[in-house]
Amino acid sequence: MTSFFRIALLFSLLSFPVAHTNGQNIQADTAKIAKLLSDGQGIYLEKPIEAQALWEDGLSLCEKLLPHLTDDSLKRYVLVSKSDLLFNLSQIHRNQGEVVKTVQNLEAALEIDIELNNRENISSSYNDLGVIYSDMGLFEKALDYYVKSLQIDRELGNQQGVASSLINLGYLHSGQRNFEEALSFFNQSLDIQKKVFDTLGMITSYNNLASVHFSMDQYELSLKNARQSLVYSTALKSKSSQANSLSKIGNVFMVQERYDSAKHYLLKSLSIRSGINDQDGIFTSAIELANFYHDSQNLPEALTYGKLSYSIAQKTEYPFHLRESSKLLSRLFAEQGDYQKAYDMQGIYEKNLAASIDSDKSKQLFKKQFEAKYANQRLQDSLINLEKEALNLAERSKIEFEKEIMEERQNERNRRNRLFLAGAIIALILMLVIIYIQMRNNRAKQAANKVIAEQKLAVEQQKSQIETQHRQLERTHKSISDSIVYAKRLQKAIMPGKTELESAFEQHFVLFKPKDVVSGDFYWFHELPSRDQLIAVADCTGHGVPGAMVSIVCSNALKRSVREFGLTQPKDILEKTRELVIENYAHDNQREINSRKMDIRDGMDIALCKISGRQITYAGANNPRWVIKSGEVSEFLEMKPNKQPIGKYVQMKPFTEDVLELDKGDMLYMFSDGFADQFGGNYPGPGKKFKYKPFKELLIRISNDDVDSQRQTLDRAFNDWKGDREQIDDLCVMGIRI
């Protein structure tokens, strides 16, 4: 919980001397500062953005006015106003997720308050700095600021400030899952707020109690406190507090499977937070709605809100935000089947996991630090009291001693006896005090050494765990790498070798560039008993390991269509291949994936040609086949495919085929979409796609070159276009000269 906004008290300006700065009266400017501060206070709860504009104007006016002030009283007033404006703006920036600006404003306000010895304002700045460092996971630093704030408020008798510090100490325990301790702090704060009629503070305490009871699975108590908070926040017209209460009520309804009510409250909370640009609140609502739609089996909506939470996390600079949003998106992308994005998000999650303190040992360490902090504070208080007692006792003894000298001047012997007795008593008491202080110091030192030793042990254990995890990661990486290399060998085995193609085609080339180690693209060859050749280039669903798995299934289906079923015509081969691919996936066609039904639509696009001398018979699934006639003026011929893949499709039709007579020297080209779809060029950002028209023009330009030169030219053109950018897909281009 942050402290609420501050506003300086307006005092009479009539006694201030009149002067002019840039043509404006100092008294008028000072009165304007007070008005801007007060007007911002009046609209802050309902219109925080408009309040921000007023306070920024007031701050600019303070900075403009201060260099020209000579009157000490007026200068102090303007400095107090500047401190209050900086503090109030820090609340706005924190809600907008601007951590750096929040800390800068708080530290600037604190510097002014220390200069003016304004202890109440110093306390509130300490309190808010503690909140920021707690949000960043720096719990020990946050605890130090909370204790400083609490000590000042108790000395000043500022009950509202004490309540605020107690709430923040409750936050620390709640974040470490010490729920009983958190409840104790929140209830203490609520009792104080009721006594001083702090309605806004009561709203915060009720919301905090609702959160802790929710974490303890005490849903009815959580709902009761959230509704109580909503009643007060509605009456006070506090938009931010209303949104928090609505959010907590929605979460309880979601756990109770009252989904319609949960959706209503969560969306209403997001609407309010968006209206006041509460970035931290919008992040919370986005996470809650993503989980809601995930549980409701609406993956697209869950992804929409998950991406919203991640975009905000990138702005707020909180490790907790990045950790939670990346963890959520990794799970959602995995369920969507986008494993690359799921892997990327998992990496971001693990990177930010190191910034959190969430293990049981860390929680125990925090608890011991907290207890040691207060043990030292109690020790210091006891020492101060003992020293005061000793001084008071010495003073009283001195007075009594002087009184005895005056009263018993005649009896020297008795005076000396009393003096000796008083001195002995004083010496004994001082000796006892010194012994007691030394014993307390020794016990405190032993306790501190014990805490340090336990901390050192915890750090060493964590280091050992990290080293073990690193070794496990290295073993896992090697196992995965070995598996991928083996998969590459398997995929290489299903494609024709160089010698086999050279024996069939005197002049040909193959440009094969997988995106990863293994590929979803492949090329296939089979020679029929009639000496006719079947040649194909295929592009399977996906790339990398998933694409390679599909390519093996599809290649095997082509081989069975020809060898097992004796088919020789391209259209018949594609029909049978489609049937075999669908049959292969039939047993998994309605498999359960994370409690979701998912149809498997894996398959391939392919261009298949039968070459009988100079006659080409072609059938295709989404992939065309191009022919460029030889001669000075190159003629381009395209044989278009059927617009359907090999695999399950919405409307499956019979495949057709085209026959074309070619001349000697003509070039036949088959290819996947990897070349035309590659992003690159001299363009900013991701660049532009190469596209099919420039690809066709490139092939026409090089078609009369020898096949080895064609392959080198295509490879060079692809690399030049791609530049330093990532290759987005597998690539396969085959050229055969008839």
Side-chain angles (χ1 to χ4, degrees), residues 406-420:
M406 294 177 64
E407 291 178 351
E408 301 181 13
R409 187 181 297 272
Q410 300 299 325
N411 196 338
E412 183 68 21
R413 186 173 182 177
N414 291 340
R415 184 191 65 79
R416 289 179 179 176
N417 289 339
R418 289 191 179 93
L419 178 62
F420 175 79

Side-chain angles (χ1 to χ4, degrees), residues 54-123:
L54 294 175
W55 289 336
E56 287 176 346
D57 289 345
L59 184 60
S60 298
L61 199 54
C62 286
E63 292 172 347
K64 171 186 173 184
L65 200 57
L66 277 170
H68 303 281
L69 298 179
T70 56
D71 184 88
D72 290 341
S73 299
L74 182 57
K75 185 174 183 179
R76 178 180 178 85
Y77 171 75
V78 175
L79 281 172
V80 170
S81 299
K82 181 180 179 181
S83 169
D84 292 341
L85 288 163
L86 286 166
F87 183 88
N88 295 349
L89 285 169
S90 75
Q91 312 304 300
I92 300 286
H93 291 311
R94 181 173 182 269
N95 289 337
Q96 294 173 348
E98 297 173 333
V99 180
V100 174
K101 287 184 178 180
T102 303
V103 174
Q104 288 175 344
N105 283 359
L106 284 173
E107 289 181 344
L110 182 61
E111 184 178 353
I112 294 172
D113 293 330
I114 291 174
E115 178 185 346
L116 300 177
N117 195 28
N118 190 337
R119 300 190 71 204
E120 185 173 353
N121 285 359
I122 292 172
S123 172

Side-chain angles (χ1 to χ4, degrees), residues 368-386:
K368 290 174 181 177
Q369 290 171 337
F370 182 84
E371 291 173 349
K373 189 84 179 179
Y374 276 93
N376 289 335
Q377 186 66 42
R378 289 193 298 270
L379 174 60
Q380 292 173 7
D381 291 344
S382 298
L383 294 176
I384 290 171
N385 291 334
L386 286 171

